[in-house]
Amino acid sequence: MSVTIDLSNKTALVMGVANARSLGWAIAEQLLLAGCRVGFSYQGERLQGELEKLTKDHPNTWIQQADATVEEDLTALFARVKQEFGELDYLVHSIAFAPRTAMEGRFLDTTTEDWNTALNVSAYTLVACARHAEPLLREGSSIVSLTYHASQQVVPKYNVMGVAKAALEAATRYLAADFGEREIRVNTISAGPMRTIAARSIPGFGGLYDKGARNAAFGRNATSEEVGKLALFLLSDLGSGITGQTVYVDAGLSIMTVKE
Ligand code: NAP
C-alpha cells in the first residue's frame, strides 16, 4: 500500500544501502514514491554497481561513494549534496558494523579495537554526518537512523552492537537538543529483525528471526516496507513535534514477554 504525500520539493540523502533488502532502500523507496529527490552514499566501490542498478529507473537520484568514518569522504559527500540540491531536508543514516569477532564470544571479552570500531561506525558516524549536514539543513528538516532493541535488553551474540545502539539512541537525544532551536528533528527507528546483509552477519540470526515471528503481538515480524513508512512519517511534516525519540516498528515484539 502506498501513502499519498507530496515531497516533490524536498531533498534527501540516504546513507547505507547495500542492496534491495537494505532498510535504507526501503526508506528510499517511500521517499521516491512521494516524489522526493534522493542522493545515496555507499561505503565501497564494491556496492557501486548495485546502487546503479537500484537507481537506474529513478531520474531524481544520484550516488556517491563515502565511508562514513572517513572525514574527507564526508566533506566530499556533503559538497556534492550542496552542488546537487543546495539545501537538504532529510538525512537517513542506515549504517552499522561490528567485527564478527565481537559477536561470536562473550561480551566480557570484547577488545578495545572491536569496541572502538563498532561504536565509531554504528554510533559516532551519526554525529559526524549530522555535523556535516548542519549548514545545509533547512529549518524544519529531519534526521532518522536505525536502531535495535538490543540497546535495552540483552540479545544473545549482539554484544557490543547492543552498546553501540544504546549510544546511538542517546546521541539521538543530544543531537535533537542541539538542533531543537531550529526545529530540526532527530529520531531513531527501532526495527524488529529483518533479513538483510548486516543481519546475516549476526551469529544465530535465523533463530532470532523465527523466534521474533513467534513472539511478536502480530505473530509475524515487521516488514522493511513498514520501516520505510515509519521513516516517511518521521521525516516528513507528518512527524512534526516529534524529536529525540526511539520509535519502534517491530509488529509488537518488544512489548511481549518471551513465550519460548
Ligand atoms: P545492510 O543492508 O547491510 O545495510 C548496512 C549498511 O551499512 C551497508 O550498506 C554497509 O555497507 C553500511 N556501512 C557499514 N559500514 C559503513 C561505513 N563505514 N560507511 C558507510 N557505510 C557503512 O543492513 P540493514 O539491516 O539494512 O542495516 C541498516 C541499519 O538498520 C543498521 O543500522 C542496522 O543496525 C539497522 N537495523 C537492522 C535490523 C535488521 O534486523 N536488519 C534491525 C534493526 C536495526 P557495506 O555493505 O559496504 O558494509
Short mmCIF file of all heavy atoms in Angstrom, two decimals, residues 15-19 21-24 41-44 46-47 66-70 93-97 121-122 125 145-149 158 161 165 168 189-199 202 205, ligand 1:
data_model
loop_
_atom_site.label_atom_id
_atom_site.label_comp_id
_atom_site.label_asym_id
_atom_site.label_seq_id
_atom_site.Cartn_x
_atom_site.Cartn_y
_atom_site.Cartn_z
N MET A 15 22.10 7.20 3.46
CA MET A 15 23.43 6.62 3.62
C MET A 15 23.31 5.17 4.10
O MET A 15 22.68 4.92 5.13
CB MET A 15 24.23 7.43 4.65
CG MET A 15 24.32 8.90 4.29
SD MET A 15 25.28 9.86 5.49
CE MET A 15 26.93 9.24 5.17
N GLY A 16 23.87 4.22 3.35
CA GLY A 16 23.89 2.83 3.80
C GLY A 16 22.92 1.90 3.09
O GLY A 16 22.17 1.18 3.74
N VAL A 17 22.95 1.95 1.76
CA VAL A 17 22.17 0.96 1.00
C VAL A 17 23.15 -0.03 0.36
O VAL A 17 24.02 0.37 -0.42
CB VAL A 17 21.32 1.64 -0.10
CG1 VAL A 17 20.61 0.58 -0.96
CG2 VAL A 17 20.29 2.59 0.52
N ALA A 18 23.02 -1.30 0.73
CA ALA A 18 23.89 -2.33 0.14
C ALA A 18 23.19 -3.04 -1.01
O ALA A 18 23.80 -3.40 -2.00
CB ALA A 18 24.30 -3.34 1.20
N ASN A 19 21.87 -3.26 -0.86
CA ASN A 19 21.09 -3.92 -1.92
C ASN A 19 19.59 -3.67 -1.68
O ASN A 19 19.22 -2.90 -0.79
CB ASN A 19 21.42 -5.43 -1.96
CG ASN A 19 21.08 -6.14 -0.66
OD1 ASN A 19 20.27 -5.66 0.13
ND2 ASN A 19 21.71 -7.26 -0.43
N ARG A 21 17.40 -5.32 -0.28
CA ARG A 21 16.87 -5.72 1.03
C ARG A 21 17.23 -4.75 2.15
O ARG A 21 16.73 -4.84 3.26
CB ARG A 21 17.45 -7.09 1.42
CG ARG A 21 16.83 -8.24 0.67
CD ARG A 21 17.54 -9.53 1.07
NE ARG A 21 16.83 -10.68 0.53
CZ ARG A 21 15.86 -11.33 1.17
NH1 ARG A 21 15.50 -10.96 2.37
NH2 ARG A 21 15.27 -12.35 0.61
N SER A 22 18.13 -3.80 1.86
CA SER A 22 18.59 -2.86 2.89
C SER A 22 17.44 -2.00 3.41
O SER A 22 16.59 -1.56 2.62
CB SER A 22 19.65 -1.92 2.30
OG SER A 22 20.80 -2.63 1.93
N LEU A 23 17.44 -1.74 4.70
CA LEU A 23 16.39 -0.88 5.26
C LEU A 23 16.50 0.53 4.67
O LEU A 23 15.50 1.21 4.48
CB LEU A 23 16.47 -0.86 6.79
CG LEU A 23 16.34 -2.26 7.45
CD1 LEU A 23 16.22 -2.13 8.97
CD2 LEU A 23 15.14 -3.01 6.90
N GLY A 24 17.72 0.95 4.36
CA GLY A 24 17.91 2.26 3.72
C GLY A 24 17.17 2.32 2.38
O GLY A 24 16.58 3.35 2.03
N SER A 41 24.65 7.44 -0.61
CA SER A 41 26.08 7.18 -0.45
C SER A 41 26.26 5.71 -0.09
O SER A 41 25.44 5.12 0.57
CB SER A 41 26.68 8.08 0.62
OG SER A 41 26.21 7.73 1.89
N TYR A 42 27.36 5.16 -0.59
CA TYR A 42 27.69 3.75 -0.33
C TYR A 42 29.15 3.68 0.10
O TYR A 42 29.96 4.51 -0.32
CB TYR A 42 27.44 2.88 -1.57
CG TYR A 42 28.18 3.36 -2.79
CD1 TYR A 42 29.42 2.82 -3.13
CD2 TYR A 42 27.66 4.39 -3.59
CE1 TYR A 42 30.13 3.28 -4.23
CE2 TYR A 42 28.36 4.86 -4.68
CZ TYR A 42 29.59 4.30 -4.99
OH TYR A 42 30.30 4.78 -6.07
N GLN A 43 29.45 2.66 0.93
CA GLN A 43 30.78 2.64 1.54
C GLN A 43 31.92 2.37 0.57
O GLN A 43 32.89 3.10 0.53
CB GLN A 43 30.82 1.58 2.65
CG GLN A 43 32.16 1.54 3.33
CD GLN A 43 32.29 0.47 4.39
OE1 GLN A 43 33.19 0.51 5.18
NE2 GLN A 43 31.41 -0.49 4.43
N GLY A 44 31.79 1.30 -0.20
CA GLY A 44 32.93 0.89 -1.03
C GLY A 44 32.55 0.71 -2.49
O GLY A 44 31.39 0.51 -2.82
N ARG A 46 32.72 -1.70 -4.29
CA ARG A 46 32.03 -2.98 -4.44
C ARG A 46 30.51 -2.80 -4.60
O ARG A 46 29.85 -3.58 -5.28
CB ARG A 46 32.37 -3.78 -3.16
CG ARG A 46 31.75 -5.10 -2.95
CD ARG A 46 32.36 -5.72 -1.67
NE ARG A 46 32.19 -4.90 -0.47
CZ ARG A 46 31.08 -4.88 0.26
NH1 ARG A 46 30.06 -5.62 -0.06
NH2 ARG A 46 31.01 -4.12 1.35
N LEU A 47 29.96 -1.76 -3.98
CA LEU A 47 28.50 -1.59 -3.98
C LEU A 47 28.00 -0.66 -5.09
O LEU A 47 26.79 -0.52 -5.29
CB LEU A 47 28.02 -1.03 -2.63
CG LEU A 47 28.19 -1.95 -1.43
CD1 LEU A 47 27.74 -1.24 -0.16
CD2 LEU A 47 27.39 -3.23 -1.61
N ALA A 66 31.13 7.02 -0.14
CA ALA A 66 31.59 7.70 1.08
C ALA A 66 31.63 6.71 2.24
O ALA A 66 30.60 6.13 2.60
CB ALA A 66 30.67 8.87 1.44
N ASP A 67 32.82 6.51 2.78
CA ASP A 67 32.95 5.74 4.02
C ASP A 67 32.64 6.74 5.14
O ASP A 67 33.33 7.76 5.28
CB ASP A 67 34.38 5.20 4.13
CG ASP A 67 34.57 4.35 5.39
OD1 ASP A 67 33.92 4.63 6.42
OD2 ASP A 67 35.40 3.42 5.34
N ALA A 68 31.62 6.45 5.93
CA ALA A 68 31.15 7.42 6.94
C ALA A 68 32.15 7.64 8.07
O ALA A 68 31.99 8.56 8.87
CB ALA A 68 29.81 6.97 7.50
N THR A 69 33.21 6.80 8.13
CA THR A 69 34.22 7.00 9.17
C THR A 69 35.39 7.85 8.65
O THR A 69 36.33 8.12 9.38
CB THR A 69 34.78 5.66 9.69
OG1 THR A 69 35.47 5.00 8.61
CG2 THR A 69 33.68 4.77 10.23
N VAL A 70 35.34 8.22 7.37
CA VAL A 70 36.45 8.97 6.77
C VAL A 70 36.02 10.42 6.54
O VAL A 70 35.15 10.71 5.72
CB VAL A 70 36.90 8.31 5.44
CG1 VAL A 70 37.99 9.12 4.75
CG2 VAL A 70 37.37 6.87 5.69
N HIS A 93 20.40 7.87 8.10
CA HIS A 93 21.61 7.15 8.48
C HIS A 93 21.22 5.69 8.71
O HIS A 93 20.48 5.38 9.64
CB HIS A 93 22.17 7.77 9.77
CG HIS A 93 23.37 7.07 10.35
ND1 HIS A 93 23.29 5.88 11.02
CD2 HIS A 93 24.68 7.42 10.37
CE1 HIS A 93 24.49 5.52 11.42
NE2 HIS A 93 25.36 6.43 11.04
N SER A 94 21.66 4.81 7.82
CA SER A 94 21.28 3.39 7.91
C SER A 94 22.54 2.54 7.88
O SER A 94 22.70 1.67 7.03
CB SER A 94 20.33 3.07 6.74
OG SER A 94 19.76 1.80 6.91
N ILE A 95 23.44 2.83 8.80
CA ILE A 95 24.80 2.30 8.79
C ILE A 95 25.12 1.62 10.12
O ILE A 95 24.85 2.19 11.18
CB ILE A 95 25.80 3.47 8.57
CG1 ILE A 95 25.66 4.01 7.14
CG2 ILE A 95 27.22 3.06 8.89
CD1 ILE A 95 26.44 5.29 6.90
N ALA A 96 25.65 0.43 10.07
CA ALA A 96 26.14 -0.23 11.29
C ALA A 96 27.17 -1.28 10.91
O ALA A 96 27.10 -1.86 9.83
CB ALA A 96 24.98 -0.89 12.05
N PHE A 97 28.10 -1.50 11.81
CA PHE A 97 29.07 -2.59 11.62
C PHE A 97 29.74 -2.92 12.94
O PHE A 97 30.08 -2.02 13.71
CB PHE A 97 30.17 -2.18 10.60
CG PHE A 97 31.24 -3.22 10.47
CD1 PHE A 97 31.01 -4.40 9.78
CD2 PHE A 97 32.49 -3.04 11.09
CE1 PHE A 97 32.00 -5.39 9.69
CE2 PHE A 97 33.48 -4.01 11.01
CZ PHE A 97 33.24 -5.18 10.30
N VAL A 121 31.63 3.22 13.89
CA VAL A 121 30.82 3.06 12.67
C VAL A 121 29.32 3.20 12.98
O VAL A 121 28.60 3.86 12.24
CB VAL A 121 31.08 1.68 12.01
CG1 VAL A 121 30.18 1.52 10.78
CG2 VAL A 121 32.53 1.52 11.62
N SER A 122 28.87 2.59 14.06
CA SER A 122 27.43 2.44 14.27
C SER A 122 26.79 3.59 15.05
O SER A 122 25.56 3.73 15.02
CB SER A 122 27.16 1.12 15.01
OG SER A 122 27.89 0.08 14.43
N THR A 125 29.26 7.90 13.70
CA THR A 125 29.05 8.43 12.34
C THR A 125 27.74 9.23 12.24
O THR A 125 27.64 10.13 11.42
CB THR A 125 29.06 7.31 11.28
OG1 THR A 125 28.07 6.34 11.62
CG2 THR A 125 30.43 6.66 11.15
N SER A 145 17.74 7.60 11.98
CA SER A 145 18.69 6.50 11.91
C SER A 145 17.95 5.22 12.30
O SER A 145 16.75 5.25 12.58
CB SER A 145 19.88 6.76 12.84
OG SER A 145 19.42 6.74 14.19
N LEU A 146 18.68 4.11 12.29
CA LEU A 146 18.08 2.81 12.59
C LEU A 146 18.74 2.19 13.81
O LEU A 146 19.97 2.13 13.89
CB LEU A 146 18.31 1.86 11.40
CG LEU A 146 17.33 1.86 10.22
CD1 LEU A 146 15.90 1.61 10.67
CD2 LEU A 146 17.39 3.13 9.42
N THR A 147 17.89 1.73 14.75
CA THR A 147 18.44 1.09 15.93
C THR A 147 17.75 -0.25 16.15
O THR A 147 16.94 -0.68 15.33
CB THR A 147 18.32 2.02 17.17
OG1 THR A 147 19.01 1.43 18.27
CG2 THR A 147 16.87 2.29 17.55
N TYR A 148 18.10 -0.91 17.26
CA TYR A 148 17.54 -2.24 17.54
C TYR A 148 17.41 -2.42 19.05
O TYR A 148 18.21 -1.88 19.83
CB TYR A 148 18.45 -3.33 16.92
CG TYR A 148 17.99 -4.73 17.20
CD1 TYR A 148 16.69 -5.13 16.87
CD2 TYR A 148 18.84 -5.66 17.79
CE1 TYR A 148 16.26 -6.43 17.15
CE2 TYR A 148 18.43 -6.95 18.06
CZ TYR A 148 17.13 -7.32 17.74
OH TYR A 148 16.71 -8.59 18.01
N HIS A 149 16.41 -3.17 19.46
CA HIS A 149 16.03 -3.35 20.85
C HIS A 149 17.14 -3.94 21.76
O HIS A 149 17.05 -3.86 22.98
CB HIS A 149 14.79 -4.24 20.90
CG HIS A 149 14.14 -4.34 22.24
ND1 HIS A 149 13.65 -3.23 22.91
CD2 HIS A 149 13.90 -5.40 23.04
CE1 HIS A 149 13.15 -3.61 24.07
NE2 HIS A 149 13.28 -4.92 24.18
N TYR A 158 24.52 -10.28 20.32
CA TYR A 158 24.51 -8.91 19.80
C TYR A 158 25.65 -8.10 20.44
O TYR A 158 26.19 -7.18 19.82
CB TYR A 158 23.14 -8.28 20.05
CG TYR A 158 22.71 -7.37 18.93
CD1 TYR A 158 22.27 -7.89 17.71
CD2 TYR A 158 22.77 -5.99 19.06
CE1 TYR A 158 21.90 -7.05 16.68
CE2 TYR A 158 22.40 -5.15 18.03
CZ TYR A 158 21.96 -5.69 16.84
OH TYR A 158 21.60 -4.85 15.83
N MET A 161 27.36 -4.56 19.78
CA MET A 161 26.42 -3.82 18.93
C MET A 161 25.24 -3.31 19.75
O MET A 161 24.68 -2.25 19.45
CB MET A 161 25.94 -4.71 17.78
CG MET A 161 25.18 -3.97 16.73
SD MET A 161 26.12 -2.64 15.97
CE MET A 161 26.52 -3.40 14.44
N LYS A 165 24.16 0.54 19.84
CA LYS A 165 22.79 1.02 19.59
C LYS A 165 22.31 1.88 20.77
O LYS A 165 21.58 2.86 20.55
CB LYS A 165 21.84 -0.16 19.35
CG LYS A 165 22.08 -0.88 18.02
CD LYS A 165 22.00 0.05 16.82
CE LYS A 165 21.95 -0.70 15.50
NZ LYS A 165 22.13 0.20 14.34
N LEU A 168 23.80 5.14 20.11
CA LEU A 168 23.09 5.81 19.01
C LEU A 168 21.80 6.45 19.51
O LEU A 168 21.47 7.59 19.14
CB LEU A 168 22.77 4.78 17.92
CG LEU A 168 22.10 5.32 16.66
CD1 LEU A 168 23.16 5.93 15.72
CD2 LEU A 168 21.35 4.22 15.90
N ILE A 189 14.70 4.91 14.52
CA ILE A 189 13.67 3.88 14.34
C ILE A 189 14.21 2.56 14.87
O ILE A 189 15.25 2.09 14.42
CB ILE A 189 13.34 3.73 12.84
CG1 ILE A 189 12.65 5.00 12.34
CG2 ILE A 189 12.49 2.49 12.58
CD1 ILE A 189 12.40 5.02 10.84
N SER A 190 13.49 1.96 15.83
CA SER A 190 13.90 0.66 16.34
C SER A 190 13.13 -0.42 15.60
O SER A 190 11.94 -0.63 15.83
CB SER A 190 13.65 0.57 17.85
OG SER A 190 14.25 -0.62 18.35
N ALA A 191 13.83 -1.06 14.66
CA ALA A 191 13.18 -2.05 13.80
C ALA A 191 13.31 -3.45 14.38
O ALA A 191 14.32 -3.78 15.00
CB ALA A 191 13.83 -2.01 12.42
N GLY A 192 12.29 -4.26 14.17
CA GLY A 192 12.38 -5.68 14.52
C GLY A 192 13.33 -6.37 13.58
O GLY A 192 13.86 -5.75 12.65
N PRO A 193 13.60 -7.67 13.79
CA PRO A 193 14.56 -8.37 12.93
C PRO A 193 14.11 -8.45 11.47
O PRO A 193 12.96 -8.76 11.20
CB PRO A 193 14.65 -9.78 13.55
CG PRO A 193 13.51 -9.90 14.49
CD PRO A 193 13.05 -8.53 14.85
N MET A 194 15.03 -8.13 10.56
CA MET A 194 14.75 -8.15 9.11
C MET A 194 15.92 -8.87 8.43
O MET A 194 17.07 -8.66 8.81
CB MET A 194 14.72 -6.73 8.53
CG MET A 194 13.95 -5.72 9.35
SD MET A 194 12.42 -5.30 8.59
CE MET A 194 11.50 -4.73 10.02
N ARG A 195 15.62 -9.62 7.39
CA ARG A 195 16.67 -10.38 6.70
C ARG A 195 17.46 -9.47 5.75
O ARG A 195 17.06 -9.27 4.60
CB ARG A 195 16.06 -11.52 5.89
CG ARG A 195 15.40 -12.59 6.74
CD ARG A 195 14.94 -13.71 5.83
NE ARG A 195 13.97 -14.57 6.45
CZ ARG A 195 14.27 -15.58 7.27
NH1 ARG A 195 15.51 -15.82 7.57
NH2 ARG A 195 13.30 -16.33 7.79
N THR A 196 18.56 -8.92 6.24
CA THR A 196 19.44 -8.08 5.42
C THR A 196 20.87 -8.60 5.53
O THR A 196 21.14 -9.49 6.36
CB THR A 196 19.43 -6.62 5.93
OG1 THR A 196 19.96 -6.62 7.27
CG2 THR A 196 18.03 -6.03 5.96
N ILE A 197 21.78 -8.03 4.76
CA ILE A 197 23.19 -8.48 4.82
C ILE A 197 23.74 -8.28 6.23
O ILE A 197 24.37 -9.17 6.80
CB ILE A 197 24.07 -7.70 3.82
CG1 ILE A 197 23.62 -7.98 2.39
CG2 ILE A 197 25.53 -8.11 3.99
CD1 ILE A 197 24.49 -7.31 1.35
N ALA A 198 23.49 -7.09 6.81
CA ALA A 198 24.04 -6.81 8.15
C ALA A 198 23.49 -7.82 9.16
O ALA A 198 24.23 -8.31 10.02
CB ALA A 198 23.68 -5.39 8.57
N ALA A 199 22.21 -8.15 9.05
CA ALA A 199 21.60 -9.08 10.00
C ALA A 199 22.20 -10.48 9.85
O ALA A 199 22.42 -11.18 10.84
CB ALA A 199 20.09 -9.12 9.78
N ILE A 202 25.09 -11.56 11.99
CA ILE A 202 24.93 -11.79 13.43
C ILE A 202 24.77 -13.30 13.66
O ILE A 202 23.85 -13.91 13.10
CB ILE A 202 23.69 -11.04 13.98
CG1 ILE A 202 23.83 -9.53 13.73
CG2 ILE A 202 23.47 -11.35 15.46
CD1 ILE A 202 22.52 -8.76 13.84
N PHE A 205 21.27 -15.46 13.71
CA PHE A 205 20.20 -14.54 13.35
C PHE A 205 18.93 -15.27 12.87
O PHE A 205 17.81 -14.84 13.16
CB PHE A 205 20.65 -13.55 12.26
CG PHE A 205 19.53 -12.64 11.83
CD1 PHE A 205 19.17 -11.55 12.61
CD2 PHE A 205 18.80 -12.91 10.68
CE1 PHE A 205 18.10 -10.73 12.26
CE2 PHE A 205 17.73 -12.09 10.31
CZ PHE A 205 17.38 -11.01 11.10
P1 NAP B 1 22.58 -3.56 5.25
O1 NAP B 1 21.72 -3.67 4.07
O2 NAP B 1 23.79 -4.44 5.32
O3 NAP B 1 22.97 -2.02 5.48
C1 NAP B 1 24.02 -1.62 6.32
C2 NAP B 1 24.84 -0.63 5.53
O4 NAP B 1 25.82 -0.01 6.36
C3 NAP B 1 25.60 -1.30 4.37
O5 NAP B 1 25.32 -0.61 3.18
C4 NAP B 1 27.05 -1.11 4.78
O6 NAP B 1 27.95 -1.04 3.71
C5 NAP B 1 26.93 0.21 5.51
N1 NAP B 1 28.16 0.55 6.22
C6 NAP B 1 28.87 -0.20 7.12
N2 NAP B 1 29.98 0.47 7.50
C7 NAP B 1 29.96 1.67 6.82
C8 NAP B 1 30.82 2.79 6.77
N3 NAP B 1 31.96 2.85 7.49
N4 NAP B 1 30.50 3.83 5.96
C9 NAP B 1 29.38 3.80 5.21
N5 NAP B 1 28.52 2.77 5.20
C10 NAP B 1 28.81 1.70 6.00
O7 NAP B 1 21.75 -3.93 6.59
P2 NAP B 1 20.47 -3.24 7.27
O8 NAP B 1 19.91 -4.30 8.16
O9 NAP B 1 19.63 -2.59 6.25
O10 NAP B 1 21.14 -2.16 8.22
C11 NAP B 1 20.76 -0.80 8.20
C12 NAP B 1 20.55 -0.31 9.63
O11 NAP B 1 19.40 -0.96 10.18
C13 NAP B 1 21.69 -0.60 10.57
O12 NAP B 1 21.88 0.50 11.45
C14 NAP B 1 21.19 -1.80 11.34
O13 NAP B 1 21.80 -1.96 12.61
C15 NAP B 1 19.73 -1.39 11.49
N6 NAP B 1 18.81 -2.45 11.91
C16 NAP B 1 18.73 -3.61 11.22
C17 NAP B 1 17.86 -4.59 11.66
C18 NAP B 1 17.79 -5.91 10.93
O14 NAP B 1 17.29 -6.89 11.51
N7 NAP B 1 18.22 -6.00 9.71
C19 NAP B 1 17.06 -4.39 12.79
C20 NAP B 1 17.15 -3.18 13.48
C21 NAP B 1 18.04 -2.21 13.03
P3 NAP B 1 28.85 -2.37 3.38
O15 NAP B 1 27.89 -3.40 2.87
O16 NAP B 1 29.82 -1.87 2.40
O17 NAP B 1 29.49 -2.78 4.68
#
